[in-house]
Amino acid sequence: MFELPDLGYSFDALEPYIDAQTMEIHHDKHHAAYVAKLNEALQSLPEWQGKPIEEILKYIESIPSDARNAVRNNGGGHYNHTLFWETMKPGGGKKPPEAITKAFGSFDDFKTKFTAEAVGRFGSGWAWLVKDGDNLEIISTQNQETPLKESKAPILGLDVWEHAYYLKYQNRRPEYIEAWWNVVNWDTVAKRLNT
Ligand code: MN
């Protein structure tokens, strides 16, 4: 059984960049629903119960087809949101790791490229910084798909579903993204880079 993890900070901790009401609904309703539905989907898959979520998502194509979409959507939802909460922090982290500025030329170049990917993701999905072997790449995925099944390790992820920003930013996704940079937890990002 998977459980909804704590946020690690209060709902209003990321104000004014991400508002308390959005955080509360996002965590307590959206993420909680992904966890509940993931557990429900796994009931018919005893051989997958007790496995880490990363493993389940990496081998998603091995899940029987009648349960696969439920596991992909809700398992992905659980994994992605857990990472999302962990890579944010009130006041943000210190500085972006040097590996990122090195890989993309400068922090501004990285930010511009990541932002373009996040703005350009049509409909619901995520923008990612991933590690593929020794390379760092910026990609995006649709809905709750994760980079894991391509054996890419997510380092930083940004939720661009409307539920992540609509209450405060309405249709202004670029404004939400610009604000989000203020609360990125670079300490966690650095840790993920080094594992
Ligand atoms: Mn979300």
Side-chain angles (χ1 to χ4, degrees):
M1 291 282 276
F2 288 99
E3 283 180 16
L4 180 66
D6 285 337
L7 261 188
Y9 37 81
S10 60
F11 295 129
D12 64 359
L14 306 179
E15 293 264 13
Y17 307 109
I18 303 181
D19 61 292
Q21 193 187 11
T22 295
M23 289 300 291
E24 182 169 0
I25 296 172
H26 204 171
H27 179 268
D28 285 12
K29 304 289 185 202
H30 290 280
H31 191 170
Y34 292 126
V35 172
K37 288 179 188 164
L38 170 62
N39 287 331
E40 204 180 293
L42 288 172
Q43 274 175 10
S44 64
L45 303 166
E47 68 278 24
W48 290 91
Q49 289 169 14
K51 294 204 191 299
I53 190 63
E54 289 86 350
E55 191 181 330
I56 294 173
L57 294 169
K58 185 168 176 185
Y59 300 108
I60 188 74
E61 300 300 336
S62 316
I63 304 247
S65 58
D66 54 342
R68 194 181 305 143
N69 274 340
V71 174
R72 189 198 326 267
N73 293 338
N74 297 294
H78 173 47
Y79 175 83
N80 292 343
H81 287 87
T82 301
L83 185 142
F84 189 49
W85 312 135
E86 285 172 2
T87 44
M88 292 192 290
K89 182 184 181 175
K94 280 166 279 170
K95 281 182 110 185
E98 205 181 322
I100 293 181
T101 49
K102 245 186 183 166
F104 296 94
S106 70
F107 178 65
D108 278 346
D109 288 335
F110 164 69
K111 200 175 146 183
T112 301
K113 203 171 169 203
F114 189 100
T115 298
E117 189 75 34
V119 171
R121 164 52 46 188
F122 183 76
S124 297
W126 292 74
W128 301 100
L129 171 68
V130 298
K131 200 160 76 168
D132 187 6
D134 288 333
N135 292 324
L136 289 177
E137 270 180 57
I138 292 168
I139 62 168
S140 64
T141 57
Q142 63 173 348
N143 298 324
Q144 296 297 355
E145 300 241 4
T146 74
L148 293 168
K149 73 167 183 186
E150 294 166 63
S151 293
K152 295 177 177 177
I155 304 297
L156 175 66
L158 172 60
D159 190 345
V160 295
W161 284 55
E162 284 185 346
H163 69 225
Y165 60 86
Y166 210 83
L167 287 177
K168 183 175 171 78
Y169 296 99
Q170 292 83 49
N171 61 326
R172 304 186 305 279
R173 186 190 287 185
E175 254 181 67
Y176 154 69
I177 297 168
E178 188 56 37
W180 170 77
W181 290 111
N182 292 288
V183 292
V184 174
N185 186 344
W186 296 113
D187 308 331
T188 316
V189 170
K191 235 178 261 166
R192 297 187 71 93
L193 265 176
N194 295 323
T195 51

mmCIF file of all heavy atoms in Angstrom, residues 151-195:
data_model
loop_
_atom_site.group_PDB
_atom_site.id
_atom_site.type_symbol
_atom_site.label_atom_id
_atom_site.label_comp_id
_atom_site.label_asym_id
_atom_site.label_seq_id
_atom_site.Cartn_x
_atom_site.Cartn_y
_atom_site.Cartn_z
ATOM 1 N N SER A 151 14.250 4.867 -18.911
ATOM 2 C CA SER A 151 15.456 4.749 -18.088
ATOM 3 C C SER A 151 16.173 6.076 -17.901
ATOM 4 O O SER A 151 17.390 6.127 -17.778
ATOM 5 C CB SER A 151 16.418 3.702 -18.658
ATOM 6 O OG SER A 151 15.842 2.442 -18.539
ATOM 7 N N LYS A 152 15.400 7.150 -17.909
ATOM 8 C CA LYS A 152 15.966 8.455 -17.597
ATOM 9 C C LYS A 152 15.630 8.784 -16.145
ATOM 10 O O LYS A 152 14.520 8.524 -15.703
ATOM 11 C CB LYS A 152 15.398 9.521 -18.538
ATOM 12 C CG LYS A 152 15.832 9.271 -19.971
ATOM 13 C CD LYS A 152 15.245 10.246 -20.957
ATOM 14 C CE LYS A 152 15.829 9.936 -22.344
ATOM 15 N NZ LYS A 152 15.270 10.770 -23.404
ATOM 16 N N ALA A 153 16.582 9.346 -15.434
ATOM 17 C CA ALA A 153 16.373 9.641 -14.021
ATOM 18 C C ALA A 153 15.902 11.084 -13.851
ATOM 19 O O ALA A 153 16.649 12.012 -14.166
ATOM 20 C CB ALA A 153 17.666 9.416 -13.247
ATOM 21 N N PRO A 154 14.674 11.287 -13.378
ATOM 22 C CA PRO A 154 14.187 12.650 -13.157
ATOM 23 C C PRO A 154 14.968 13.351 -12.043
ATOM 24 O O PRO A 154 15.165 12.795 -10.973
ATOM 25 C CB PRO A 154 12.730 12.455 -12.727
ATOM 26 C CG PRO A 154 12.372 11.071 -13.132
ATOM 27 C CD PRO A 154 13.648 10.286 -13.075
ATOM 28 N N ILE A 155 15.423 14.563 -12.342
ATOM 29 C CA ILE A 155 16.170 15.352 -11.357
ATOM 30 C C ILE A 155 15.283 16.470 -10.823
ATOM 31 O O ILE A 155 15.271 16.766 -9.641
ATOM 32 C CB ILE A 155 17.422 15.984 -12.021
ATOM 33 C CG1 ILE A 155 18.298 14.901 -12.670
ATOM 34 C CG2 ILE A 155 18.206 16.809 -11.017
ATOM 35 C CD1 ILE A 155 18.877 13.889 -11.719
ATOM 36 N N LEU A 156 14.561 17.099 -11.736
ATOM 37 C CA LEU A 156 13.681 18.217 -11.376
ATOM 38 C C LEU A 156 12.448 18.117 -12.272
ATOM 39 O O LEU A 156 12.583 17.877 -13.470
ATOM 40 C CB LEU A 156 14.429 19.532 -11.635
ATOM 41 C CG LEU A 156 13.663 20.844 -11.441
ATOM 42 C CD1 LEU A 156 13.297 21.044 -9.978
ATOM 43 C CD2 LEU A 156 14.526 22.038 -11.914
ATOM 44 N N GLY A 157 11.262 18.287 -11.672
ATOM 45 C CA GLY A 157 10.042 18.190 -12.468
ATOM 46 C C GLY A 157 9.104 19.340 -12.156
ATOM 47 O O GLY A 157 9.020 19.780 -11.008
ATOM 48 N N LEU A 158 8.447 19.825 -13.181
ATOM 49 C CA LEU A 158 7.469 20.895 -12.986
ATOM 50 C C LEU A 158 6.111 20.466 -13.529
ATOM 51 O O LEU A 158 5.973 20.117 -14.704
ATOM 52 C CB LEU A 158 7.938 22.176 -13.692
ATOM 53 C CG LEU A 158 6.909 23.317 -13.733
ATOM 54 C CD1 LEU A 158 6.513 23.761 -12.328
ATOM 55 C CD2 LEU A 158 7.455 24.503 -14.524
ATOM 56 N N ASP A 159 5.132 20.502 -12.649
ATOM 57 C CA ASP A 159 3.750 20.161 -12.988
ATOM 58 C C ASP A 159 3.128 21.325 -13.758
ATOM 59 O O ASP A 159 3.037 22.439 -13.233
ATOM 60 C CB ASP A 159 2.991 19.931 -11.659
ATOM 61 C CG ASP A 159 1.613 19.329 -11.850
ATOM 62 O OD1 ASP A 159 1.094 19.341 -12.986
ATOM 63 O OD2 ASP A 159 1.057 18.854 -10.834
ATOM 64 N N VAL A 160 2.728 21.074 -15.005
ATOM 65 C CA VAL A 160 2.049 22.144 -15.752
ATOM 66 C C VAL A 160 0.581 21.813 -16.039
ATOM 67 O O VAL A 160 -0.017 22.387 -16.944
ATOM 68 C CB VAL A 160 2.808 22.553 -17.050
ATOM 69 C CG1 VAL A 160 4.161 23.159 -16.705
ATOM 70 C CG2 VAL A 160 2.982 21.390 -18.018
ATOM 71 N N TRP A 161 0.011 20.879 -15.275
ATOM 72 C CA TRP A 161 -1.439 20.697 -15.322
ATOM 73 C C TRP A 161 -2.096 21.988 -14.835
ATOM 74 O O TRP A 161 -1.565 22.665 -13.943
ATOM 75 C CB TRP A 161 -1.873 19.557 -14.387
ATOM 76 C CG TRP A 161 -1.600 18.168 -14.883
ATOM 77 C CD1 TRP A 161 -0.400 17.647 -15.290
ATOM 78 C CD2 TRP A 161 -2.559 17.101 -14.996
ATOM 79 N NE1 TRP A 161 -0.567 16.340 -15.646
ATOM 80 C CE2 TRP A 161 -1.870 15.974 -15.476
ATOM 81 C CE3 TRP A 161 -3.932 16.998 -14.720
ATOM 82 C CZ2 TRP A 161 -2.505 14.747 -15.700
ATOM 83 C CZ3 TRP A 161 -4.563 15.779 -14.941
ATOM 84 C CH2 TRP A 161 -3.848 14.673 -15.433
ATOM 85 N N GLU A 162 -3.246 22.293 -15.373
ATOM 86 C CA GLU A 162 -3.916 23.527 -14.917
ATOM 87 C C GLU A 162 -4.200 23.506 -13.419
ATOM 88 O O GLU A 162 -4.199 24.551 -12.769
ATOM 89 C CB GLU A 162 -5.209 23.749 -15.708
ATOM 90 C CG GLU A 162 -4.925 24.263 -17.118
ATOM 91 C CD GLU A 162 -6.186 24.611 -17.888
ATOM 92 O OE1 GLU A 162 -7.288 24.221 -17.458
ATOM 93 O OE2 GLU A 162 -6.047 25.269 -18.936
ATOM 94 N N HIS A 163 -4.429 22.313 -12.847
ATOM 95 C CA HIS A 163 -4.731 22.270 -11.406
ATOM 96 C C HIS A 163 -3.558 22.801 -10.569
ATOM 97 O O HIS A 163 -3.731 23.140 -9.409
ATOM 98 C CB HIS A 163 -5.177 20.868 -10.947
ATOM 99 C CG HIS A 163 -4.115 19.806 -10.964
ATOM 100 N ND1 HIS A 163 -4.326 18.537 -11.473
ATOM 101 C CD2 HIS A 163 -2.836 19.792 -10.522
ATOM 102 C CE1 HIS A 163 -3.227 17.814 -11.340
ATOM 103 N NE2 HIS A 163 -2.306 18.553 -10.763
ATOM 104 N N ALA A 164 -2.385 22.856 -11.158
ATOM 105 C CA ALA A 164 -1.206 23.328 -10.427
ATOM 106 C C ALA A 164 -1.151 24.854 -10.322
ATOM 107 O O ALA A 164 -0.405 25.389 -9.502
ATOM 108 C CB ALA A 164 0.067 22.805 -11.090
ATOM 109 N N TYR A 165 -1.911 25.539 -11.157
ATOM 110 C CA TYR A 165 -1.758 27.011 -11.156
ATOM 111 C C TYR A 165 -3.025 27.816 -11.426
ATOM 112 O O TYR A 165 -3.031 29.037 -11.300
ATOM 113 C CB TYR A 165 -0.687 27.420 -12.183
ATOM 114 C CG TYR A 165 -0.973 27.024 -13.626
ATOM 115 C CD1 TYR A 165 -1.742 27.841 -14.465
ATOM 116 C CD2 TYR A 165 -0.493 25.831 -14.151
ATOM 117 C CE1 TYR A 165 -1.998 27.481 -15.785
ATOM 118 C CE2 TYR A 165 -0.744 25.457 -15.471
ATOM 119 C CZ TYR A 165 -1.499 26.290 -16.282
ATOM 120 O OH TYR A 165 -1.762 25.927 -17.578
ATOM 121 N N TYR A 166 -4.131 27.154 -11.786
ATOM 122 C CA TYR A 166 -5.265 27.899 -12.330
ATOM 123 C C TYR A 166 -5.911 28.864 -11.328
ATOM 124 O O TYR A 166 -6.355 29.946 -11.702
ATOM 125 C CB TYR A 166 -6.319 26.940 -12.902
ATOM 126 C CG TYR A 166 -7.079 27.575 -14.045
ATOM 127 C CD1 TYR A 166 -6.556 27.567 -15.336
ATOM 128 C CD2 TYR A 166 -8.288 28.227 -13.840
ATOM 129 C CE1 TYR A 166 -7.214 28.171 -16.384
ATOM 130 C CE2 TYR A 166 -8.967 28.831 -14.884
ATOM 131 C CZ TYR A 166 -8.420 28.800 -16.161
ATOM 132 O OH TYR A 166 -9.072 29.401 -17.195
ATOM 133 N N LEU A 167 -5.955 28.482 -10.054
ATOM 134 C CA LEU A 167 -6.614 29.346 -9.058
ATOM 135 C C LEU A 167 -5.939 30.710 -8.972
ATOM 136 O O LEU A 167 -6.603 31.739 -8.850
ATOM 137 C CB LEU A 167 -6.571 28.689 -7.672
ATOM 138 C CG LEU A 167 -7.496 27.494 -7.448
ATOM 139 C CD1 LEU A 167 -7.266 26.934 -6.048
ATOM 140 C CD2 LEU A 167 -8.957 27.901 -7.624
ATOM 141 N N LYS A 168 -4.622 30.722 -9.041
ATOM 142 C CA LYS A 168 -3.897 31.983 -8.905
ATOM 143 C C LYS A 168 -3.552 32.609 -10.250
ATOM 144 O O LYS A 168 -3.602 33.820 -10.402
ATOM 145 C CB LYS A 168 -2.612 31.764 -8.096
ATOM 146 C CG LYS A 168 -1.829 33.037 -7.836
ATOM 147 C CD LYS A 168 -0.627 32.774 -6.927
ATOM 148 C CE LYS A 168 0.288 33.970 -6.836
ATOM 149 N NZ LYS A 168 -0.184 35.030 -5.942
ATOM 150 N N TYR A 169 -3.208 31.784 -11.210
ATOM 151 C CA TYR A 169 -2.673 32.334 -12.468
ATOM 152 C C TYR A 169 -3.628 32.182 -13.657
ATOM 153 O O TYR A 169 -3.314 32.633 -14.760
ATOM 154 C CB TYR A 169 -1.333 31.678 -12.796
ATOM 155 C CG TYR A 169 -0.258 31.983 -11.772
ATOM 156 C CD1 TYR A 169 0.049 31.065 -10.765
ATOM 157 C CD2 TYR A 169 0.419 33.192 -11.793
ATOM 158 C CE1 TYR A 169 1.021 31.340 -9.812
ATOM 159 C CE2 TYR A 169 1.391 33.482 -10.847
ATOM 160 C CZ TYR A 169 1.692 32.551 -9.857
ATOM 161 O OH TYR A 169 2.650 32.835 -8.919
ATOM 162 N N GLN A 170 -4.765 31.507 -13.436
ATOM 163 C CA GLN A 170 -5.707 31.227 -14.522
ATOM 164 C C GLN A 170 -4.968 30.649 -15.738
ATOM 165 O O GLN A 170 -4.262 29.687 -15.578
ATOM 166 C CB GLN A 170 -6.536 32.470 -14.880
ATOM 167 C CG GLN A 170 -7.516 32.870 -13.758
ATOM 168 C CD GLN A 170 -6.837 33.688 -12.697
ATOM 169 O OE1 GLN A 170 -6.138 34.642 -13.018
ATOM 170 N NE2 GLN A 170 -7.017 33.335 -11.431
ATOM 171 N N ASN A 171 -5.117 31.281 -16.892
ATOM 172 C CA ASN A 171 -4.500 30.722 -18.106
ATOM 173 C C ASN A 171 -3.045 31.154 -18.295
ATOM 174 O O ASN A 171 -2.441 30.838 -19.308
ATOM 175 C CB ASN A 171 -5.309 31.151 -19.337
ATOM 176 C CG ASN A 171 -5.332 32.665 -19.476
ATOM 177 O OD1 ASN A 171 -5.345 33.383 -18.481
ATOM 178 N ND2 ASN A 171 -5.331 33.158 -20.698
ATOM 179 N N ARG A 172 -2.472 31.835 -17.301
ATOM 180 C CA ARG A 172 -1.141 32.418 -17.498
ATOM 181 C C ARG A 172 -0.037 31.463 -17.036
ATOM 182 O O ARG A 172 0.690 31.719 -16.078
ATOM 183 C CB ARG A 172 -1.064 33.769 -16.781
ATOM 184 C CG ARG A 172 -2.167 34.746 -17.228
ATOM 185 C CD ARG A 172 -2.007 36.134 -16.632
ATOM 186 N NE ARG A 172 -1.932 36.149 -15.184
ATOM 187 C CZ ARG A 172 -2.995 36.092 -14.364
ATOM 188 N NH1 ARG A 172 -4.220 35.993 -14.835
ATOM 189 N NH2 ARG A 172 -2.824 36.133 -13.055
ATOM 190 N N ARG A 173 0.096 30.363 -17.744
ATOM 191 C CA ARG A 173 1.099 29.361 -17.374
ATOM 192 C C ARG A 173 2.512 29.948 -17.296
ATOM 193 O O ARG A 173 3.253 29.623 -16.358
ATOM 194 C CB ARG A 173 1.052 28.171 -18.343
ATOM 195 C CG ARG A 173 1.964 27.039 -17.914
ATOM 196 C CD ARG A 173 2.119 25.965 -18.988
ATOM 197 N NE ARG A 173 0.945 25.127 -19.152
ATOM 198 C CZ ARG A 173 0.911 24.067 -19.970
ATOM 199 N NH1 ARG A 173 1.986 23.727 -20.664
ATOM 200 N NH2 ARG A 173 -0.190 23.346 -20.091
ATOM 201 N N PRO A 174 2.915 30.793 -18.231
ATOM 202 C CA PRO A 174 4.287 31.345 -18.148
ATOM 203 C C PRO A 174 4.545 32.119 -16.847
ATOM 204 O O PRO A 174 5.650 32.073 -16.306
ATOM 205 C CB PRO A 174 4.378 32.269 -19.364
ATOM 206 C CG PRO A 174 3.388 31.713 -20.334
ATOM 207 C CD PRO A 174 2.253 31.203 -19.487
ATOM 208 N N GLU A 175 3.519 32.790 -16.324
ATOM 209 C CA GLU A 175 3.694 33.527 -15.059
ATOM 210 C C GLU A 175 3.905 32.580 -13.887
ATOM 211 O O GLU A 175 4.702 32.838 -12.975
ATOM 212 C CB GLU A 175 2.441 34.369 -14.781
ATOM 213 C CG GLU A 175 2.622 35.843 -15.008
ATOM 214 C CD GLU A 175 1.333 36.598 -14.694
ATOM 215 O OE1 GLU A 175 0.914 36.652 -13.525
ATOM 216 O OE2 GLU A 175 0.730 37.108 -15.670
ATOM 217 N N TYR A 176 3.151 31.488 -13.894
ATOM 218 C CA TYR A 176 3.312 30.446 -12.862
ATOM 219 C C TYR A 176 4.728 29.877 -12.919
ATOM 220 O O TYR A 176 5.395 29.726 -11.886
ATOM 221 C CB TYR A 176 2.257 29.364 -13.100
ATOM 222 C CG TYR A 176 2.576 27.980 -12.596
ATOM 223 C CD1 TYR A 176 2.641 27.675 -11.230
ATOM 224 C CD2 TYR A 176 2.783 26.921 -13.495
ATOM 225 C CE1 TYR A 176 2.905 26.389 -10.781
ATOM 226 C CE2 TYR A 176 3.044 25.631 -13.061
ATOM 227 C CZ TYR A 176 3.114 25.369 -11.709
ATOM 228 O OH TYR A 176 3.380 24.089 -11.276
ATOM 229 N N ILE A 177 5.205 29.606 -14.116
ATOM 230 C CA ILE A 177 6.543 29.028 -14.267
ATOM 231 C C ILE A 177 7.606 30.009 -13.780
ATOM 232 O O ILE A 177 8.518 29.640 -13.033
ATOM 233 C CB ILE A 177 6.786 28.612 -15.735
ATOM 234 C CG1 ILE A 177 5.794 27.513 -16.130
ATOM 235 C CG2 ILE A 177 8.232 28.153 -15.934
ATOM 236 C CD1 ILE A 177 5.734 27.227 -17.624
ATOM 237 N N GLU A 178 7.456 31.256 -14.156
ATOM 238 C CA GLU A 178 8.414 32.286 -13.721
ATOM 239 C C GLU A 178 8.446 32.371 -12.185
ATOM 240 O O GLU A 178 9.511 32.491 -11.580
ATOM 241 C CB GLU A 178 8.019 33.638 -14.334
ATOM 242 C CG GLU A 178 9.032 34.750 -14.134
ATOM 243 C CD GLU A 178 10.447 34.417 -14.648
ATOM 244 O OE1 GLU A 178 10.557 33.750 -15.705
ATOM 245 O OE2 GLU A 178 11.420 34.799 -13.971
ATOM 246 N N ALA A 179 7.269 32.296 -11.559
ATOM 247 C CA ALA A 179 7.198 32.364 -10.094
ATOM 248 C C ALA A 179 7.822 31.127 -9.447
ATOM 249 O O ALA A 179 8.504 31.222 -8.418
ATOM 250 C CB ALA A 179 5.734 32.501 -9.659
ATOM 251 N N TRP A 180 7.594 29.982 -10.070
ATOM 252 C CA TRP A 180 8.071 28.701 -9.517
ATOM 253 C C TRP A 180 9.589 28.672 -9.315
ATOM 254 O O TRP A 180 10.084 28.075 -8.363
ATOM 255 C CB TRP A 180 7.595 27.560 -10.430
ATOM 256 C CG TRP A 180 8.182 26.220 -10.141
ATOM 257 C CD1 TRP A 180 7.838 25.362 -9.126
ATOM 258 C CD2 TRP A 180 9.230 25.554 -10.891
ATOM 259 N NE1 TRP A 180 8.598 24.211 -9.205
ATOM 260 C CE2 TRP A 180 9.455 24.314 -10.276
ATOM 261 C CE3 TRP A 180 9.971 25.895 -12.024
ATOM 262 C CZ2 TRP A 180 10.400 23.401 -10.755
ATOM 263 C CZ3 TRP A 180 10.916 25.002 -12.503
ATOM 264 C CH2 TRP A 180 11.124 23.770 -11.865
ATOM 265 N N TRP A 181 10.335 29.331 -10.198
ATOM 266 C CA TRP A 181 11.808 29.335 -10.045
ATOM 267 C C TRP A 181 12.233 29.850 -8.677
ATOM 268 O O TRP A 181 13.293 29.515 -8.177
ATOM 269 C CB TRP A 181 12.461 30.192 -11.140
ATOM 270 C CG TRP A 181 12.365 29.579 -12.511
ATOM 271 C CD1 TRP A 181 11.615 30.026 -13.555
ATOM 272 C CD2 TRP A 181 13.041 28.401 -12.994
ATOM 273 N NE1 TRP A 181 11.777 29.200 -14.649
ATOM 274 C CE2 TRP A 181 12.651 28.204 -14.337
ATOM 275 C CE3 TRP A 181 13.945 27.493 -12.409
ATOM 276 C CZ2 TRP A 181 13.124 27.133 -15.111
ATOM 277 C CZ3 TRP A 181 14.421 26.436 -13.186
ATOM 278 C CH2 TRP A 181 14.014 26.267 -14.516
ATOM 279 N N ASN A 182 11.401 30.664 -8.036
ATOM 280 C CA ASN A 182 11.731 31.215 -6.713
ATOM 281 C C ASN A 182 11.657 30.190 -5.593
ATOM 282 O O ASN A 182 12.117 30.453 -4.487
ATOM 283 C CB ASN A 182 10.771 32.368 -6.365
ATOM 284 C CG ASN A 182 10.990 33.574 -7.243
ATOM 285 O OD1 ASN A 182 11.981 34.272 -7.099
ATOM 286 N ND2 ASN A 182 10.082 33.799 -8.186
ATOM 287 N N VAL A 183 11.020 29.067 -5.852
ATOM 288 C CA VAL A 183 10.846 28.079 -4.776
ATOM 289 C C VAL A 183 11.488 26.732 -5.104
ATOM 290 O O VAL A 183 11.239 25.736 -4.421
ATOM 291 C CB VAL A 183 9.351 27.893 -4.412
ATOM 292 C CG1 VAL A 183 8.800 29.162 -3.759
ATOM 293 C CG2 VAL A 183 8.507 27.504 -5.621
ATOM 294 N N VAL A 184 12.309 26.697 -6.130
ATOM 295 C CA VAL A 184 12.991 25.431 -6.451
ATOM 296 C C VAL A 184 14.027 25.130 -5.371
ATOM 297 O O VAL A 184 14.817 25.992 -4.984
ATOM 298 C CB VAL A 184 13.680 25.496 -7.835
ATOM 299 C CG1 VAL A 184 14.508 24.238 -8.078
ATOM 300 C CG2 VAL A 184 12.641 25.666 -8.935
ATOM 301 N N ASN A 185 13.997 23.907 -4.897
ATOM 302 C CA ASN A 185 14.930 23.465 -3.857
ATOM 303 C C ASN A 185 16.193 22.881 -4.511
ATOM 304 O O ASN A 185 16.259 21.688 -4.815
ATOM 305 C CB ASN A 185 14.250 22.413 -2.972
ATOM 306 C CG ASN A 185 15.115 22.023 -1.794
ATOM 307 O OD1 ASN A 185 16.308 22.293 -1.765
ATOM 308 N ND2 ASN A 185 14.501 21.388 -0.807
ATOM 309 N N TRP A 186 17.171 23.732 -4.715
ATOM 310 C CA TRP A 186 18.393 23.299 -5.416
ATOM 311 C C TRP A 186 19.207 22.313 -4.610
ATOM 312 O O TRP A 186 20.021 21.568 -5.171
ATOM 313 C CB TRP A 186 19.239 24.517 -5.807
ATOM 314 C CG TRP A 186 18.544 25.404 -6.790
ATOM 315 C CD1 TRP A 186 18.096 26.679 -6.595
ATOM 316 C CD2 TRP A 186 18.183 25.079 -8.151
ATOM 317 N NE1 TRP A 186 17.486 27.153 -7.743
ATOM 318 C CE2 TRP A 186 17.526 26.191 -8.703
ATOM 319 C CE3 TRP A 186 18.346 23.928 -8.940
ATOM 320 C CZ2 TRP A 186 17.036 26.206 -10.017
ATOM 321 C CZ3 TRP A 186 17.864 23.932 -10.247
ATOM 322 C CH2 TRP A 186 17.217 25.068 -10.774
ATOM 323 N N ASP A 187 18.998 22.307 -3.293
ATOM 324 C CA ASP A 187 19.727 21.329 -2.467
ATOM 325 C C ASP A 187 19.262 19.916 -2.806
ATOM 326 O O ASP A 187 20.067 18.994 -2.952
ATOM 327 C CB ASP A 187 19.498 21.627 -0.972
ATOM 328 C CG ASP A 187 19.800 23.089 -0.643
ATOM 329 O OD1 ASP A 187 20.661 23.672 -1.335
ATOM 330 O OD2 ASP A 187 19.153 23.641 0.265
ATOM 331 N N THR A 188 17.941 19.747 -2.936
ATOM 332 C CA THR A 188 17.417 18.426 -3.304
ATOM 333 C C THR A 188 17.829 18.070 -4.722
ATOM 334 O O THR A 188 18.153 16.924 -5.015
ATOM 335 C CB THR A 188 15.870 18.419 -3.233
ATOM 336 O OG1 THR A 188 15.468 19.065 -2.045
ATOM 337 C CG2 THR A 188 15.326 17.011 -3.255
ATOM 338 N N VAL A 189 17.798 19.067 -5.603
ATOM 339 C CA VAL A 189 18.200 18.828 -6.992
ATOM 340 C C VAL A 189 19.648 18.331 -7.032
ATOM 341 O O VAL A 189 19.961 17.352 -7.719
ATOM 342 C CB VAL A 189 18.026 20.111 -7.832
ATOM 343 C CG1 VAL A 189 18.658 19.965 -9.205
ATOM 344 C CG2 VAL A 189 16.542 20.474 -7.960
ATOM 345 N N ALA A 190 20.527 18.986 -6.270
ATOM 346 C CA ALA A 190 21.941 18.584 -6.233
ATOM 347 C C ALA A 190 22.080 17.159 -5.725
ATOM 348 O O ALA A 190 22.854 16.360 -6.259
ATOM 349 C CB ALA A 190 22.735 19.545 -5.364
ATOM 350 N N LYS A 191 21.289 16.826 -4.706
ATOM 351 C CA LYS A 191 21.331 15.470 -4.153
ATOM 352 C C LYS A 191 20.917 14.440 -5.202
ATOM 353 O O LYS A 191 21.526 13.390 -5.361
ATOM 354 C CB LYS A 191 20.400 15.393 -2.933
ATOM 355 C CG LYS A 191 21.094 14.897 -1.688
ATOM 356 C CD LYS A 191 20.148 14.880 -0.498
ATOM 357 C CE LYS A 191 20.340 16.111 0.378
ATOM 358 N NZ LYS A 191 19.235 16.307 1.337
ATOM 359 N N ARG A 192 19.847 14.754 -5.913
ATOM 360 C CA ARG A 192 19.355 13.816 -6.943
ATOM 361 C C ARG A 192 20.377 13.665 -8.078
ATOM 362 O O ARG A 192 20.497 12.602 -8.663
ATOM 363 C CB ARG A 192 18.013 14.282 -7.511
ATOM 364 C CG ARG A 192 16.893 14.328 -6.494
ATOM 365 C CD ARG A 192 15.567 14.637 -7.165
ATOM 366 N NE ARG A 192 15.122 13.518 -7.957
ATOM 367 C CZ ARG A 192 14.318 12.550 -7.533
ATOM 368 N NH1 ARG A 192 13.863 12.575 -6.292
ATOM 369 N NH2 ARG A 192 13.973 11.574 -8.328
ATOM 370 N N LEU A 193 21.074 14.750 -8.366
ATOM 371 C CA LEU A 193 22.089 14.711 -9.425
ATOM 372 C C LEU A 193 23.228 13.760 -9.068
ATOM 373 O O LEU A 193 23.810 13.134 -9.936
ATOM 374 C CB LEU A 193 22.691 16.108 -9.610
ATOM 375 C CG LEU A 193 22.094 17.001 -10.690
ATOM 376 C CD1 LEU A 193 22.770 18.357 -10.616
ATOM 377 C CD2 LEU A 193 22.275 16.389 -12.069
ATOM 378 N N ASN A 194 23.503 13.700 -7.785
ATOM 379 C CA ASN A 194 24.672 12.911 -7.351
ATOM 380 C C ASN A 194 24.336 11.476 -6.980
ATOM 381 O O ASN A 194 25.176 10.782 -6.438
ATOM 382 C CB ASN A 194 25.346 13.618 -6.171
ATOM 383 C CG ASN A 194 25.914 14.952 -6.591
ATOM 384 O OD1 ASN A 194 26.427 15.086 -7.717
ATOM 385 N ND2 ASN A 194 25.808 15.961 -5.732
ATOM 386 N N THR A 195 23.104 11.066 -7.251
ATOM 387 C CA THR A 195 22.783 9.656 -6.926
ATOM 388 C C THR A 195 22.495 8.863 -8.188
ATOM 389 O O THR A 195 22.279 9.416 -9.242
ATOM 390 C CB THR A 195 21.571 9.537 -5.987
ATOM 391 O OG1 THR A 195 20.488 10.300 -6.542
ATOM 392 C CG2 THR A 195 21.888 10.031 -4.607
#
